[in-house]
PDB file of all heavy atoms in Angstrom:
ATOM      1  N   ARG A   1     -10.953 -28.704 -12.312  1.00  0.00           N
ATOM      2  CA  ARG A   1     -12.336 -28.469 -11.939  1.00  0.00           C
ATOM      3  C   ARG A   1     -12.649 -28.060 -10.519  1.00  0.00           C
ATOM      4  O   ARG A   1     -13.514 -27.194 -10.347  1.00  0.00           O
ATOM      5  CB  ARG A   1     -13.145 -29.701 -12.336  1.00  0.00           C
ATOM      6  CG  ARG A   1     -13.180 -29.984 -13.784  1.00  0.00           C
ATOM      7  CD  ARG A   1     -14.025 -31.195 -14.121  1.00  0.00           C
ATOM      8  NE  ARG A   1     -14.094 -31.538 -15.505  1.00  0.00           N
ATOM      9  CZ  ARG A   1     -14.806 -32.559 -16.071  1.00  0.00           C
ATOM     10  NH1 ARG A   1     -15.341 -33.356 -15.242  1.00  0.00           N
ATOM     11  NH2 ARG A   1     -14.741 -32.771 -17.381  1.00  0.00           N
ATOM     12  N   ILE A   2     -11.896 -28.713  -9.629  1.00  0.00           N
ATOM     13  CA  ILE A   2     -12.136 -28.304  -8.209  1.00  0.00           C
ATOM     14  C   ILE A   2     -11.702 -26.979  -7.956  1.00  0.00           C
ATOM     15  O   ILE A   2     -12.355 -26.177  -7.251  1.00  0.00           O
ATOM     16  CB  ILE A   2     -11.328 -29.284  -7.325  1.00  0.00           C
ATOM     17  CG1 ILE A   2     -11.895 -30.672  -7.463  1.00  0.00           C
ATOM     18  CG2 ILE A   2     -11.300 -28.867  -5.833  1.00  0.00           C
ATOM     19  CD1 ILE A   2     -11.147 -31.765  -6.611  1.00  0.00           C
ATOM     20  N   VAL A   3     -10.542 -26.517  -8.495  1.00  0.00           N
ATOM     21  CA  VAL A   3     -10.133 -25.077  -8.300  1.00  0.00           C
ATOM     22  C   VAL A   3     -11.075 -24.128  -8.922  1.00  0.00           C
ATOM     23  O   VAL A   3     -11.388 -23.079  -8.280  1.00  0.00           O
ATOM     24  CB  VAL A   3      -8.684 -24.954  -8.932  1.00  0.00           C
ATOM     25  CG1 VAL A   3      -8.348 -23.444  -8.875  1.00  0.00           C
ATOM     26  CG2 VAL A   3      -7.607 -25.837  -8.265  1.00  0.00           C
ATOM     27  N   THR A   4     -11.531 -24.483 -10.065  1.00  0.00           N
ATOM     28  CA  THR A   4     -12.593 -23.604 -10.729  1.00  0.00           C
ATOM     29  C   THR A   4     -13.769 -23.406  -9.863  1.00  0.00           C
ATOM     30  O   THR A   4     -14.438 -22.340  -9.657  1.00  0.00           O
ATOM     31  CB  THR A   4     -12.824 -24.092 -12.168  1.00  0.00           C
ATOM     32  OG1 THR A   4     -11.678 -24.144 -12.924  1.00  0.00           O
ATOM     33  CG2 THR A   4     -13.878 -23.124 -12.829  1.00  0.00           C
ATOM     34  N   ALA A   5     -14.295 -24.596  -9.304  1.00  0.00           N
ATOM     35  CA  ALA A   5     -15.508 -24.648  -8.539  1.00  0.00           C
ATOM     36  C   ALA A   5     -15.253 -23.796  -7.267  1.00  0.00           C
ATOM     37  O   ALA A   5     -16.115 -23.076  -6.952  1.00  0.00           O
ATOM     38  CB  ALA A   5     -15.871 -25.977  -8.381  1.00  0.00           C
ATOM     39  N   THR A   6     -14.121 -23.941  -6.727  1.00  0.00           N
ATOM     40  CA  THR A   6     -13.772 -23.073  -5.450  1.00  0.00           C
ATOM     41  C   THR A   6     -13.812 -21.709  -5.686  1.00  0.00           C
ATOM     42  O   THR A   6     -14.424 -20.784  -4.917  1.00  0.00           O
ATOM     43  CB  THR A   6     -12.487 -23.511  -4.925  1.00  0.00           C
ATOM     44  OG1 THR A   6     -12.461 -25.073  -4.734  1.00  0.00           O
ATOM     45  CG2 THR A   6     -12.147 -22.879  -3.624  1.00  0.00           C
ATOM     46  N   LEU A   7     -13.173 -21.266  -6.862  1.00  0.00           N
ATOM     47  CA  LEU A   7     -13.265 -19.894  -7.153  1.00  0.00           C
ATOM     48  C   LEU A   7     -14.542 -19.362  -7.427  1.00  0.00           C
ATOM     49  O   LEU A   7     -14.931 -18.165  -7.121  1.00  0.00           O
ATOM     50  CB  LEU A   7     -12.137 -19.698  -8.323  1.00  0.00           C
ATOM     51  CG  LEU A   7     -10.708 -19.924  -7.985  1.00  0.00           C
ATOM     52  CD1 LEU A   7      -9.904 -19.755  -9.225  1.00  0.00           C
ATOM     53  CD2 LEU A   7     -10.265 -19.058  -6.970  1.00  0.00           C
ATOM     54  N   LEU A   8     -15.361 -20.047  -8.121  1.00  0.00           N
ATOM     55  CA  LEU A   8     -16.874 -19.853  -8.372  1.00  0.00           C
ATOM     56  C   LEU A   8     -17.655 -19.400  -7.148  1.00  0.00           C
ATOM     57  O   LEU A   8     -18.324 -18.468  -7.012  1.00  0.00           O
ATOM     58  CB  LEU A   8     -17.503 -20.715  -9.405  1.00  0.00           C
ATOM     59  CG  LEU A   8     -16.913 -20.752 -10.760  1.00  0.00           C
ATOM     60  CD1 LEU A   8     -17.762 -21.909 -11.592  1.00  0.00           C
ATOM     61  CD2 LEU A   8     -17.282 -19.400 -11.499  1.00  0.00           C
ATOM     62  N   VAL A   9     -17.417 -20.398  -6.122  1.00  0.00           N
ATOM     63  CA  VAL A   9     -18.172 -20.290  -4.804  1.00  0.00           C
ATOM     64  C   VAL A   9     -17.585 -19.000  -4.161  1.00  0.00           C
ATOM     65  O   VAL A   9     -18.267 -18.302  -3.530  1.00  0.00           O
ATOM     66  CB  VAL A   9     -17.918 -21.446  -4.022  1.00  0.00           C
ATOM     67  CG1 VAL A   9     -18.482 -21.336  -2.700  1.00  0.00           C
ATOM     68  CG2 VAL A   9     -18.591 -22.685  -4.701  1.00  0.00           C
ATOM     69  N   ALA A  10     -16.239 -18.913  -4.153  1.00  0.00           N
ATOM     70  CA  ALA A  10     -15.615 -17.802  -3.592  1.00  0.00           C
ATOM     71  C   ALA A  10     -16.168 -16.414  -4.266  1.00  0.00           C
ATOM     72  O   ALA A  10     -16.429 -15.406  -3.494  1.00  0.00           O
ATOM     73  CB  ALA A  10     -14.190 -17.792  -3.701  1.00  0.00           C
ATOM     74  N   ARG A  11     -16.289 -16.296  -5.523  1.00  0.00           N
ATOM     75  CA  ARG A  11     -16.738 -15.117  -6.132  1.00  0.00           C
ATOM     76  C   ARG A  11     -18.210 -14.813  -5.672  1.00  0.00           C
ATOM     77  O   ARG A  11     -18.648 -13.730  -5.497  1.00  0.00           O
ATOM     78  CB  ARG A  11     -16.693 -15.292  -7.744  1.00  0.00           C
ATOM     79  CG  ARG A  11     -17.024 -14.038  -8.465  1.00  0.00           C
ATOM     80  CD  ARG A  11     -17.013 -14.243  -9.960  1.00  0.00           C
ATOM     81  NE  ARG A  11     -17.936 -15.209 -10.429  1.00  0.00           N
ATOM     82  CZ  ARG A  11     -18.171 -15.444 -11.757  1.00  0.00           C
ATOM     83  NH1 ARG A  11     -17.232 -14.967 -12.677  1.00  0.00           N
ATOM     84  NH2 ARG A  11     -18.993 -16.453 -12.061  1.00  0.00           N
ATOM     85  N   GLN A  12     -18.982 -15.850  -5.602  1.00  0.00           N
ATOM     86  CA  GLN A  12     -20.426 -15.700  -5.184  1.00  0.00           C
ATOM     87  C   GLN A  12     -20.358 -15.182  -3.724  1.00  0.00           C
ATOM     88  O   GLN A  12     -21.277 -14.237  -3.423  1.00  0.00           O
ATOM     89  CB  GLN A  12     -21.174 -16.995  -5.174  1.00  0.00           C
ATOM     90  CG  GLN A  12     -22.613 -16.940  -4.724  1.00  0.00           C
ATOM     91  CD  GLN A  12     -23.300 -18.255  -4.613  1.00  0.00           C
ATOM     92  OE1 GLN A  12     -22.632 -19.233  -4.233  1.00  0.00           O
ATOM     93  NE2 GLN A  12     -24.505 -18.377  -5.015  1.00  0.00           N
ATOM     94  N   ALA A  13     -19.543 -15.705  -2.807  1.00  0.00           N
ATOM     95  CA  ALA A  13     -19.504 -15.257  -1.486  1.00  0.00           C
ATOM     96  C   ALA A  13     -19.117 -13.834  -1.375  1.00  0.00           C
ATOM     97  O   ALA A  13     -19.616 -13.013  -0.608  1.00  0.00           O
ATOM     98  CB  ALA A  13     -18.559 -16.090  -0.658  1.00  0.00           C
ATOM     99  N   MET A  14     -18.137 -13.369  -2.245  1.00  0.00           N
ATOM    100  CA  MET A  14     -17.638 -11.986  -2.288  1.00  0.00           C
ATOM    101  C   MET A  14     -18.789 -11.126  -2.686  1.00  0.00           C
ATOM    102  O   MET A  14     -18.925 -10.036  -2.281  1.00  0.00           O
ATOM    103  CB  MET A  14     -16.452 -11.856  -3.211  1.00  0.00           C
ATOM    104  CG  MET A  14     -15.217 -12.492  -2.668  1.00  0.00           C
ATOM    105  SD  MET A  14     -13.796 -12.228  -3.739  1.00  0.00           S
ATOM    106  CE  MET A  14     -13.611 -10.406  -3.476  1.00  0.00           C
ATOM    107  N   GLY A  15     -19.629 -11.509  -3.737  1.00  0.00           N
ATOM    108  CA  GLY A  15     -20.714 -10.775  -4.175  1.00  0.00           C
ATOM    109  C   GLY A  15     -21.792 -10.585  -3.106  1.00  0.00           C
ATOM    110  O   GLY A  15     -22.358  -9.509  -2.942  1.00  0.00           O
ATOM    111  N   GLN A  16     -22.012 -11.626  -2.381  1.00  0.00           N
ATOM    112  CA  GLN A  16     -23.005 -11.508  -1.349  1.00  0.00           C
ATOM    113  C   GLN A  16     -22.609 -10.617  -0.168  1.00  0.00           C
ATOM    114  O   GLN A  16     -23.336  -9.836   0.436  1.00  0.00           O
ATOM    115  CB  GLN A  16     -23.269 -12.915  -0.654  1.00  0.00           C
ATOM    116  CG  GLN A  16     -23.911 -13.852  -1.572  1.00  0.00           C
ATOM    117  CD  GLN A  16     -24.213 -15.266  -1.072  1.00  0.00           C
ATOM    118  OE1 GLN A  16     -23.392 -15.622  -0.010  1.00  0.00           O
ATOM    119  NE2 GLN A  16     -24.996 -16.096  -1.691  1.00  0.00           N
ATOM    120  N   SER A  17     -21.200 -10.521   0.000  1.00  0.00           N
ATOM    121  CA  SER A  17     -20.551  -9.752   1.098  1.00  0.00           C
ATOM    122  C   SER A  17     -20.531  -8.219   0.753  1.00  0.00           C
ATOM    123  O   SER A  17     -20.535  -7.300   1.500  1.00  0.00           O
ATOM    124  CB  SER A  17     -19.213 -10.060   1.418  1.00  0.00           C
ATOM    125  OG  SER A  17     -19.197 -11.431   1.792  1.00  0.00           O
ATOM    126  N   ALA A  18     -20.642  -7.961  -0.550  1.00  0.00           N
ATOM    127  CA  ALA A  18     -20.402  -6.565  -1.084  1.00  0.00           C
ATOM    128  C   ALA A  18     -21.772  -5.730  -1.045  1.00  0.00           C
ATOM    129  O   ALA A  18     -21.896  -4.790  -1.835  1.00  0.00           O
ATOM    130  CB  ALA A  18     -19.875  -6.612  -2.524  1.00  0.00           C
ATOM    131  N   ARG A  19     -22.703  -6.215  -0.349  1.00  0.00           N
ATOM    132  CA  ARG A  19     -23.973  -5.443  -0.172  1.00  0.00           C
ATOM    133  C   ARG A  19     -24.629  -5.776   1.067  1.00  0.00           C
ATOM    134  O   ARG A  19     -24.266  -6.622   1.733  1.00  0.00           O
ATOM    135  CB  ARG A  19     -24.899  -5.810  -1.386  1.00  0.00           C
ATOM    136  CG  ARG A  19     -25.279  -7.285  -1.374  1.00  0.00           C
ATOM    137  CD  ARG A  19     -26.183  -7.623  -2.558  1.00  0.00           C
ATOM    138  NE  ARG A  19     -26.666  -8.962  -2.650  1.00  0.00           N
ATOM    139  CZ  ARG A  19     -25.995  -9.946  -3.266  1.00  0.00           C
ATOM    140  NH1 ARG A  19     -24.947  -9.652  -3.917  1.00  0.00           N
ATOM    141  NH2 ARG A  19     -26.511 -11.321  -3.194  1.00  0.00           N
ATOM    142  N   GLY A  20     -25.705  -4.937   1.458  1.00  0.00           N
ATOM    143  CA  GLY A  20     -26.517  -5.140   2.673  1.00  0.00           C
ATOM    144  C   GLY A  20     -25.889  -4.505   3.919  1.00  0.00           C
ATOM    145  O   GLY A  20     -24.831  -3.943   3.913  1.00  0.00           O
ATOM    146  N   LEU A  21     -26.691  -4.624   4.944  1.00  0.00           N
ATOM    147  CA  LEU A  21     -26.293  -4.073   6.253  1.00  0.00           C
ATOM    148  C   LEU A  21     -25.095  -4.744   6.810  1.00  0.00           C
ATOM    149  O   LEU A  21     -24.253  -4.132   7.578  1.00  0.00           O
ATOM    150  CB  LEU A  21     -27.450  -4.243   7.310  1.00  0.00           C
ATOM    151  CG  LEU A  21     -28.781  -3.420   6.848  1.00  0.00           C
ATOM    152  CD1 LEU A  21     -29.876  -3.716   7.884  1.00  0.00           C
ATOM    153  CD2 LEU A  21     -28.458  -1.919   6.759  1.00  0.00           C
ATOM    154  N   ARG A  22     -24.835  -5.957   6.538  1.00  0.00           N
ATOM    155  CA  ARG A  22     -23.664  -6.708   7.116  1.00  0.00           C
ATOM    156  C   ARG A  22     -22.402  -6.061   6.593  1.00  0.00           C
ATOM    157  O   ARG A  22     -21.428  -5.866   7.345  1.00  0.00           O
ATOM    158  CB  ARG A  22     -23.632  -8.137   6.803  1.00  0.00           C
ATOM    159  CG  ARG A  22     -22.465  -8.845   7.447  1.00  0.00           C
ATOM    160  CD  ARG A  22     -22.548 -10.344   7.386  1.00  0.00           C
ATOM    161  NE  ARG A  22     -22.495 -10.803   5.891  1.00  0.00           N
ATOM    162  CZ  ARG A  22     -22.438 -12.109   5.654  1.00  0.00           C
ATOM    163  NH1 ARG A  22     -22.552 -13.073   6.657  1.00  0.00           N
ATOM    164  NH2 ARG A  22     -22.310 -12.541   4.405  1.00  0.00           N
ATOM    165  N   LEU A  23     -22.434  -5.679   5.266  1.00  0.00           N
ATOM    166  CA  LEU A  23     -21.327  -4.915   4.770  1.00  0.00           C
ATOM    167  C   LEU A  23     -20.944  -3.701   5.495  1.00  0.00           C
ATOM    168  O   LEU A  23     -19.737  -3.404   5.866  1.00  0.00           O
ATOM    169  CB  LEU A  23     -21.438  -4.516   3.293  1.00  0.00           C
ATOM    170  CG  LEU A  23     -20.435  -3.746   2.606  1.00  0.00           C
ATOM    171  CD1 LEU A  23     -19.109  -4.443   2.616  1.00  0.00           C
ATOM    172  CD2 LEU A  23     -20.870  -3.370   1.206  1.00  0.00           C
ATOM    173  N   VAL A  24     -22.002  -2.923   5.790  1.00  0.00           N
ATOM    174  CA  VAL A  24     -21.820  -1.576   6.457  1.00  0.00           C
ATOM    175  C   VAL A  24     -21.255  -1.878   7.834  1.00  0.00           C
ATOM    176  O   VAL A  24     -20.291  -1.151   8.402  1.00  0.00           O
ATOM    177  CB  VAL A  24     -23.241  -0.805   6.569  1.00  0.00           C
ATOM    178  CG1 VAL A  24     -22.979   0.404   7.355  1.00  0.00           C
ATOM    179  CG2 VAL A  24     -23.627  -0.506   5.108  1.00  0.00           C
ATOM    180  N   ALA A  25     -21.887  -2.742   8.676  1.00  0.00           N
ATOM    181  CA  ALA A  25     -21.501  -3.045   9.973  1.00  0.00           C
ATOM    182  C   ALA A  25     -20.084  -3.656  10.110  1.00  0.00           C
ATOM    183  O   ALA A  25     -19.356  -3.101  11.003  1.00  0.00           O
ATOM    184  CB  ALA A  25     -22.467  -4.067  10.576  1.00  0.00           C
ATOM    185  N   LEU A  26     -19.767  -4.527   9.204  1.00  0.00           N
ATOM    186  CA  LEU A  26     -18.511  -5.138   9.347  1.00  0.00           C
ATOM    187  C   LEU A  26     -17.340  -4.221   8.854  1.00  0.00           C
ATOM    188  O   LEU A  26     -16.214  -4.177   9.331  1.00  0.00           O
ATOM    189  CB  LEU A  26     -18.370  -6.392   8.624  1.00  0.00           C
ATOM    190  CG  LEU A  26     -19.130  -7.568   9.164  1.00  0.00           C
ATOM    191  CD1 LEU A  26     -19.063  -8.903   8.392  1.00  0.00           C
ATOM    192  CD2 LEU A  26     -18.973  -7.779  10.608  1.00  0.00           C
ATOM    193  N   SER A  27     -17.725  -3.331   7.841  1.00  0.00           N
ATOM    194  CA  SER A  27     -16.787  -2.375   7.395  1.00  0.00           C
ATOM    195  C   SER A  27     -16.465  -1.378   8.419  1.00  0.00           C
ATOM    196  O   SER A  27     -15.280  -1.020   8.626  1.00  0.00           O
ATOM    197  CB  SER A  27     -17.347  -1.638   6.211  1.00  0.00           C
ATOM    198  OG  SER A  27     -17.530  -2.519   5.046  1.00  0.00           O
ATOM    199  N   LEU A  28     -17.442  -0.907   9.225  1.00  0.00           N
ATOM    200  CA  LEU A  28     -17.245   0.026  10.354  1.00  0.00           C
ATOM    201  C   LEU A  28     -16.337  -0.795  11.441  1.00  0.00           C
ATOM    202  O   LEU A  28     -15.448  -0.064  11.835  1.00  0.00           O
ATOM    203  CB  LEU A  28     -18.638   0.344  11.004  1.00  0.00           C
ATOM    204  CG  LEU A  28     -19.484   1.322  10.135  1.00  0.00           C
ATOM    205  CD1 LEU A  28     -20.811   1.649  10.866  1.00  0.00           C
ATOM    206  CD2 LEU A  28     -18.740   2.606   9.997  1.00  0.00           C
ATOM    207  N   LEU A  29     -16.559  -1.931  11.669  1.00  0.00           N
ATOM    208  CA  LEU A  29     -15.692  -2.716  12.608  1.00  0.00           C
ATOM    209  C   LEU A  29     -14.318  -2.783  12.134  1.00  0.00           C
ATOM    210  O   LEU A  29     -13.380  -2.610  12.811  1.00  0.00           O
ATOM    211  CB  LEU A  29     -16.328  -4.113  12.888  1.00  0.00           C
ATOM    212  CG  LEU A  29     -15.505  -4.922  13.855  1.00  0.00           C
ATOM    213  CD1 LEU A  29     -15.468  -4.437  15.177  1.00  0.00           C
ATOM    214  CD2 LEU A  29     -16.013  -6.540  13.741  1.00  0.00           C
ATOM    215  N   THR A  30     -14.187  -3.045  10.723  1.00  0.00           N
ATOM    216  CA  THR A  30     -12.829  -3.213  10.265  1.00  0.00           C
ATOM    217  C   THR A  30     -12.054  -1.943  10.257  1.00  0.00           C
ATOM    218  O   THR A  30     -10.736  -2.008  10.467  1.00  0.00           O
ATOM    219  CB  THR A  30     -12.957  -3.724   8.739  1.00  0.00           C
ATOM    220  OG1 THR A  30     -13.749  -4.875   8.699  1.00  0.00           O
ATOM    221  CG2 THR A  30     -11.610  -3.961   8.084  1.00  0.00           C
ATOM    222  N   PHE A  31     -12.746  -0.851  10.111  1.00  0.00           N
ATOM    223  CA  PHE A  31     -12.041   0.523  10.068  1.00  0.00           C
ATOM    224  C   PHE A  31     -11.836   1.200  11.401  1.00  0.00           C
ATOM    225  O   PHE A  31     -11.413   2.305  11.424  1.00  0.00           O
ATOM    226  CB  PHE A  31     -12.639   1.384   9.052  1.00  0.00           C
ATOM    227  CG  PHE A  31     -12.296   0.987   7.575  1.00  0.00           C
ATOM    228  CD1 PHE A  31     -13.246   0.404   6.792  1.00  0.00           C
ATOM    229  CD2 PHE A  31     -11.115   1.416   7.146  1.00  0.00           C
ATOM    230  CE1 PHE A  31     -12.995  -0.053   5.518  1.00  0.00           C
ATOM    231  CE2 PHE A  31     -10.777   1.095   5.758  1.00  0.00           C
ATOM    232  CZ  PHE A  31     -11.634   0.412   4.895  1.00  0.00           C
ATOM    233  N   VAL A  32     -12.331   0.482  12.460  1.00  0.00           N
ATOM    234  CA  VAL A  32     -12.145   1.140  13.764  1.00  0.00           C
ATOM    235  C   VAL A  32     -10.595   1.423  14.068  1.00  0.00           C
ATOM    236  O   VAL A  32     -10.339   2.504  14.572  1.00  0.00           O
ATOM    237  CB  VAL A  32     -12.638   0.197  14.867  1.00  0.00           C
ATOM    238  CG1 VAL A  32     -12.210   0.582  16.162  1.00  0.00           C
ATOM    239  CG2 VAL A  32     -14.278   0.232  14.814  1.00  0.00           C
ATOM    240  N   PRO A  33      -9.627   0.529  13.834  1.00  0.00           N
ATOM    241  CA  PRO A  33      -8.203   0.881  14.173  1.00  0.00           C
ATOM    242  C   PRO A  33      -7.806   2.110  13.313  1.00  0.00           C
ATOM    243  O   PRO A  33      -7.110   2.967  13.910  1.00  0.00           O
ATOM    244  CB  PRO A  33      -7.475  -0.393  13.700  1.00  0.00           C
ATOM    245  CG  PRO A  33      -8.447  -1.454  13.654  1.00  0.00           C
ATOM    246  CD  PRO A  33      -9.791  -0.894  13.403  1.00  0.00           C
ATOM    247  N   LEU A  34      -8.165   2.244  12.118  1.00  0.00           N
ATOM    248  CA  LEU A  34      -7.739   3.450  11.370  1.00  0.00           C
ATOM    249  C   LEU A  34      -8.455   4.645  12.001  1.00  0.00           C
ATOM    250  O   LEU A  34      -7.732   5.758  12.080  1.00  0.00           O
ATOM    251  CB  LEU A  34      -8.133   3.223   9.913  1.00  0.00           C
ATOM    252  CG  LEU A  34      -7.818   4.353   8.861  1.00  0.00           C
ATOM    253  CD1 LEU A  34      -6.285   4.613   8.925  1.00  0.00           C
ATOM    254  CD2 LEU A  34      -8.288   4.065   7.486  1.00  0.00           C
ATOM    255  N   MET A  35      -9.645   4.617  12.217  1.00  0.00           N
ATOM    256  CA  MET A  35     -10.367   5.789  12.768  1.00  0.00           C
ATOM    257  C   MET A  35      -9.821   6.113  14.079  1.00  0.00           C
ATOM    258  O   MET A  35      -9.625   7.325  14.370  1.00  0.00           O
ATOM    259  CB  MET A  35     -11.990   5.472  12.850  1.00  0.00           C
ATOM    260  CG  MET A  35     -12.518   5.302  11.475  1.00  0.00           C
ATOM    261  SD  MET A  35     -14.413   5.134  11.566  1.00  0.00           S
ATOM    262  CE  MET A  35     -14.488   3.577  12.261  1.00  0.00           C
ATOM    263  N   LEU A  36      -9.558   5.169  14.890  1.00  0.00           N
ATOM    264  CA  LEU A  36      -9.001   5.458  16.362  1.00  0.00           C
ATOM    265  C   LEU A  36      -7.555   6.074  16.135  1.00  0.00           C
ATOM    266  O   LEU A  36      -7.245   7.045  17.008  1.00  0.00           O
ATOM    267  CB  LEU A  36      -8.993   4.261  17.098  1.00  0.00           C
ATOM    268  CG  LEU A  36      -8.562   4.417  18.633  1.00  0.00           C
ATOM    269  CD1 LEU A  36      -9.447   5.365  19.401  1.00  0.00           C
ATOM    270  CD2 LEU A  36      -8.564   2.910  19.268  1.00  0.00           C
ATOM    271  N   THR A  37      -6.870   5.558  15.204  1.00  0.00           N
ATOM    272  CA  THR A  37      -5.466   6.046  15.016  1.00  0.00           C
ATOM    273  C   THR A  37      -5.519   7.489  14.593  1.00  0.00           C
ATOM    274  O   THR A  37      -4.627   8.361  15.012  1.00  0.00           O
ATOM    275  CB  THR A  37      -4.786   5.229  13.985  1.00  0.00           C
ATOM    276  OG1 THR A  37      -4.581   3.809  14.471  1.00  0.00           O
ATOM    277  CG2 THR A  37      -3.338   5.766  13.700  1.00  0.00           C
TER     278      THR A  37
END
């Protein structure tokens, strides 16, 4: 049950991360090495 609950919380957090301005801003930060390369 603990594992299931942890995964459910993780799925909710992933869903929250997959939208909004934070996604755009952090995605740009994440891909800076690739763009610079």
